[in-house]
Amino acid sequence: MPSENHAQALQVLSYVDLTSLNNDDDKATIESLCTKVEIGSQSVAAICVFPEWVATAKTYFEEQSLNIPIATVTNFPDGSTNIERAVSETERAIAAGAREIDVVLPYRALLNGDESTPAELVRECKDVCGDEVILKVIIESGELKTQDAIVAASEIAIANGADFIKTSTGKVDTNATLSAAQTMLGVIKASGTDCGFKAAGGIRTVGEAMQYINLAEEIMGKDWVTPSHFRIGASSLLKDIQAVVDNH
């Protein structure tokens, strides 16, 4: 019988957006990432790479006959107020083969009292994505800091078409936290929409990932926590998953 730890590790793997967003990424880095999408018979939910590497990942998966969704980031990591830039980056990424877009909300604009620019940016990016491409909106919860700001950002993203709200870029001092996750999940529940949730940045062990899974199950119900609603953005978490599986 597989141990509970083994089962948890594979459960966590099923929610992972396996990520490499480093400025020195190259073709070899991305192809190496693509080789790690399966452990045993379980695969990750998606991989997430910079827009310029989407085509590389797509070619690799086609050659290996693997059906792994490719996610990318736009308006990243600064959360610019340049809506035209965010939309054109999103269009190009989809044309290259991205099936999931993680766009950064203009969170600084929101903190300065501008709600209309973040709302419009999400709305226009969702128009480009349509029903075929998943839009995850990164609210950068660690920079928003207060619960009120996290609630406001989450509500704006959901109201304007976000398919997921995501904690963080992983590029700031404070990334995913359980308290931010609790607030964001609460907003999703209150919205009554089909929006999902993604925790990203700093989740490195199966034990840490399980805390987010348990929290989501507590707030949204066990049946809700599937890869269609729940993701964990991670780069180093895979090492711990593999170690747990190997130990079993």
Side-chain angles (χ1 to χ4, degrees):
M1 285 286 288
S3 70
E4 184 183 5
N5 287 351
H6 181 266
Q8 283 183 348
L10 293 180
Q11 180 192 14
V12 168
L13 182 67
S14 75
Y15 303 134
V16 167
D17 284 359
L18 184 59
T19 302
S20 189
L21 296 170
N22 301 307
N23 292 332
D24 59 354
D25 285 346
D26 57 18
K27 189 168 185 276
T29 310
I30 301 310
E31 289 182 343
S32 174
L33 187 76
C34 291
T35 67
K36 298 171 183 168
V37 296
E38 292 178 314
I39 295 178
S41 59
Q42 183 60 61
S43 63
V44 297
I47 70 159
C48 185
V49 297
F50 276 132
E52 59 265 35
W53 300 115
V54 168
T56 301
K58 184 170 185 269
T59 300
Y60 180 90
F61 290 142
E62 284 171 351
E63 286 172 354
Q64 301 297 320
S65 301
L66 286 169
N67 185 25
I68 305 288
I70 301 164
T72 193
V73 289
T74 60
N75 206 35
F76 186 92
D78 54 325
S80 153
T81 54
N82 187 337
I83 295 170
E84 195 178 324
R85 173 193 135 189
V87 169
S88 67
E89 284 178 357
T90 300
E91 285 172 338
R92 287 198 302 275
I94 294 169
R99 287 293 159 262
E100 305 188 358
I101 301 290
D102 293 25
V103 66
V104 183
L105 189 83
Y107 60 91
R108 290 188 195 87
L110 181 63
L111 288 172
N112 289 329
D114 174 8
E115 295 190 359
S116 64
T117 303
E120 189 181 342
L121 186 140
V122 174
R123 192 162 57 245
E124 291 200 23
C125 286
K126 185 54 190 170
D127 284 347
V128 171
C129 290
D131 295 331
E132 298 300 309
V133 176
I134 290 170
L135 181 68
K136 308 188 200 104
V137 178
I138 305 169
I139 67 165
E140 203 70 287
S141 55
E143 295 292 286
L144 294 173
K145 293 183 172 62
T146 68
Q147 187 174 13
D148 285 351
I150 291 169
V151 167
S154 300
E155 287 178 343
I156 288 167
I158 294 169
N160 289 282
D163 297 303
F164 277 73
I165 50 175
K166 172 178 168 182
T167 58
S168 326
T169 58
K171 303 292 186 184
V172 293
D173 291 341
T174 302
N175 292 291
T177 64
L178 287 165
S179 64
Q182 185 173 15
T183 300
M184 293 168 71
L185 286 160
V187 174
I188 292 170
K189 189 172 176 71
S191 75
T193 67
D194 199 35
C195 186
F197 169 77
K198 178 174 172 179
I203 300 168
R204 294 188 174 87
T205 68
V206 170
E208 288 170 3
M210 286 306 302
Q211 290 182 296
Y212 286 90
I213 292 167
N214 293 336
L215 179 68
E217 287 180 349
E218 193 181 302
I219 294 170
M220 302 301 296
K222 209 159 189 158
D223 292 346
W224 184 87
V225 184
T226 68
S228 62
H229 284 123
F230 182 86
R231 300 286 183 87
I232 297 168
S235 50
S236 54
L237 174 59
L238 196 72
K239 288 177 189 162
D240 195 57
I241 293 171
Q242 186 72 62
V244 172
V245 170
D246 289 349
N247 189 44
H248 164 74

